[in-house]
Amino acid sequence: MTILGIETSCDETALALIETKGSIESGDLECRIIDSLINSQAELHSAYGGVYPSLAKREHGKNLIPLLEKILGALPASKKEAILDFSFADTLDTFRADVGSQNKELFECMEHAEFLKNIPAIDRIAVTEGPGLEPALWVGINFAKILGTLWNIPVIPINHMEGHIIGSLLESDAPKGKWQKLKGLPLPALALLISGGHTELVKIDGIGNYTILGQTKDDAVGEAFDKTARLLGLPYPGGPQVSKLATEARDSNIQLHVKLPRPMMNSGDVDFSFSGLKTAVLYAVRDLEKTGGLNELAKKGICREFEESVADVLDSKLRKAMDSIQARSIIIGGGVSANVFLRQRFETTTKEYGIPLFMPSRHISGDNALMIALAGMFHDDVVTKPLKAQGTKRL
Ligand code: KG4
Ligand code: ZN
């Protein structure tokens, strides 16, 4: 089976093609990556200090068709098939009447995309339905629906957070074209999902069988990284910037003179709160500004202390949740899982517990469509209880 994955939940327009063989029932399900493309809009949003939803929507509308043309070029010749036997223009018109006014850019591109008249040998489209920025999500969903109608193939809605879970099970750095089984996950597993919009601990009793054990009551951890960066005058997305300065601080032994809080670390549950941490950074910045001390060294010190606070909180909640469900394996997913300091901390903890840790390779830790296509493999056979969408907030 060949699956096209589509991801437009935030500021990455992404498409992926995978091929699968075998089945879940017979235990021999394997997949291989045909291609995975990501067009990041981060630079465009940087001017706004965060993701600007209507800009994201417009950019997705412009990006999807060129990306699709490119990725279809990666399909083997045997996978390029018939020509549409009905009017392409009429089908587009039907959709235009319905959703065209909200997706102007997408329709403008689609009208001229002659290549859409060649039906590719794709068996299924998997598209992110949420959670994410609603206007951005709709572009991908409408795109998927139109392709599904044109090419007469089913469209499967995928939960973005489930995508982050399943993406962690891919063999790290498996080259394109190599058949692989997803890594076996001893159950119950515990996933810590840390992204720009979410921070949650999820018990996994099987693919599609999830229970949220705890989550943030306010800001997500990635959001706290991004806001801290903004307070320090660092560009969006702030996570990698804060992490870079924190590493430099540790390497040069630079330490902030004040200690930042570890919010809710001893709250007794596995919920999180990061907005107080961001406010503490704000106060530290203000105090330093008053005395003229907000120099590069001080900024590095803040980043280090901030990152260590986040690590302490995440690690302590992870341990608590591991104990409470007797977890037999751990998954870390979401954009913040690219953070090297946090990765090391999670490695130490899981080693101590003697259980396997699954993290996405760093290049697919951020939003991508590969994880969405992979999740699409499971959705005939599994009754899915989708992870609950936790709103659409992202900066
Ligand atoms: O999963 P993701 O790509 O998008 C959402 O689903 O939200 O996560 C994006 C978040 C951003 O907040 C970004 O600053 C953060 O991941 N991030 C990092 C790092 N790389 C990306 N945070 C900390 N350290 C990093 N190295
Ligand atoms: Zn994400």
Side-chain angles (χ1 to χ4, degrees):
M1 175 159 48
T2 302
I3 306 177
L4 172 68
I6 302 176
E7 157 64 39
T8 64
S9 70
C10 195
D11 59 345
E12 264 89 30
T13 319
L15 295 181
L17 274 173
I18 62 167
E19 199 175 345
T20 70
K21 64 179 183 187
S23 71
I24 297 171
E25 299 84 40
S26 50
D28 60 352
L29 182 65
E30 285 188 57
C31 62
R32 69 175 171 190
I33 304 165
I34 299 174
D35 211 352
S36 173
L37 303 175
I38 303 174
N39 190 332
S40 172
Q41 308 166 10
E43 228 168 85
L44 285 176
H45 293 280
S46 184
Y48 302 92
V51 181
Y52 191 59
S54 58
L55 177 61
K57 180 184 117 176
R58 207 168 63 215
E59 289 301 307
H60 290 316
K62 288 192 218 159
N63 293 340
L64 280 168
I65 281 290
L67 278 184
L68 182 67
E69 188 166 19
K70 186 163 177 208
I71 206 159
L72 291 180
L75 273 178
S78 61
K79 298 245 164 224
K80 291 174 188 154
E81 267 193 0
I83 307 282
L84 286 189
D85 59 358
F86 55 91
S87 167
F88 173 64
D90 288 352
T91 308
L92 267 195
D93 278 347
T94 316
F95 278 99
R96 192 187 286 105
D98 198 17
V99 292
S101 59
Q102 299 130 43
N103 293 267
K104 237 170 60 239
E105 294 78 13
L106 179 65
F107 277 83
E108 272 167 24
C109 292
M110 288 193 99
E111 261 162 9
H112 302 109
E114 290 290 315
F115 73 91
L116 291 176
K117 294 179 185 169
N118 301 321
I119 307 172
I122 290 174
D123 303 283
R124 180 182 289 193
I125 297 173
V127 61
T128 305
E129 65 163 347
L133 295 172
E134 210 175 312
L137 285 164
W138 273 117
V139 187
I141 292 169
N142 285 328
F143 185 58
K145 281 189 189 163
I146 299 171
L147 295 182
T149 305
L150 277 177
W151 296 340
N152 194 24
I153 45 180
V155 176
I156 317 262
I158 301 294
N159 182 289
H160 182 83
M161 304 315 287
E162 184 179 36
H164 277 304
I165 289 176
I166 294 178
S168 304
L169 300 178
L170 199 65
E171 221 175 77
S172 59
D173 302 321
K176 279 182 208 162
K178 180 176 174 241
W179 284 105
Q180 63 167 300
K181 273 191 171 184
L182 290 188
K183 291 176 192 158
L185 189 64
L187 299 172
L190 176 68
L192 172 63
L193 301 178
I194 41 179
S195 72
H198 290 78
T199 304
E200 52 194 25
L201 279 158
V202 181
K203 181 178 182 228
I204 304 174
D205 288 301
I207 300 286
N209 190 351
Y210 311 116
T211 312
I212 296 181
L213 304 173
Q215 59 196 305
T216 183
K217 292 179 176 297
D218 40 55
D219 292 353
V221 64
E223 191 177 355
F225 267 98
D226 294 334
K227 287 179 174 170
T228 294
R230 195 149 52 172
L231 289 169
L232 296 174
L234 302 169
Y236 171 85
Q241 308 283 335
V242 170
S243 163
K244 181 170 168 279
L245 293 196
T247 306
E248 285 170 19
R250 269 187 295 275
D251 290 348
S252 322
N253 223 354
I254 296 163
Q255 196 119 31
L256 187 66
H257 60 288
V258 288
K259 188 131 175 92
L260 293 173
R262 269 64 178 156
M264 287 185 66
M265 197 156 90
N266 300 311
S267 61
D269 55 23
V270 289
D271 285 329
F272 304 86
S273 163
F274 289 103
S275 87
L277 178 57
K278 165 207 69 194
T279 310
V281 171
L282 171 71
Y283 291 147
V285 167
R286 276 198 194 149
D287 288 347
L288 285 161
E289 273 171 345
K290 267 188 221 146
T291 57
L294 189 62
N295 54 25
E296 290 312 303
L297 283 188
K299 285 185 184 179
K300 286 183 185 178
I302 289 176
C303 290
R304 174 181 180 177
E305 175 61 14
F306 170 84
E307 196 175 63
E308 289 176 5
S309 161
V310 168
D312 287 347
V313 172
L314 292 179
D315 187 51
S316 111
K317 298 284 176 173
L318 182 71
R319 286 167 181 265
K320 195 176 260 309
M322 283 161 85
D323 291 339
S324 80
I325 65 160
Q326 297 291 303
R328 296 187 53 231
S329 59
I330 302 295
I331 286 181
I332 312 286
V336 182
S337 71
N339 184 289
V340 174
F341 184 71
L342 293 175
R343 288 173 87 92
Q344 283 164 355
R345 185 68 86 87
F346 300 138
E347 269 159 14
T348 308
T349 299
T350 46
K351 221 175 251 165
E352 196 188 300
Y353 276 68
I355 61 174
L357 170 66
F358 303 101
M359 293 194 281
S361 30
R362 288 190 68 220
H363 68 277
I364 63 150
S365 56
D367 289 347
N368 65 86
L370 184 54
M371 65 186 196
I372 304 301
L374 291 171
M377 293 199 296
F378 294 95
H379 281 272
D380 287 339
D381 320 79
V382 174
V383 181
T384 307
K385 265 197 262 151
L387 297 174
K388 215 169 96 215
Q390 299 301 314
T392 58
K393 187 166 72 102
R394 264 169 165 126
L395 283 190

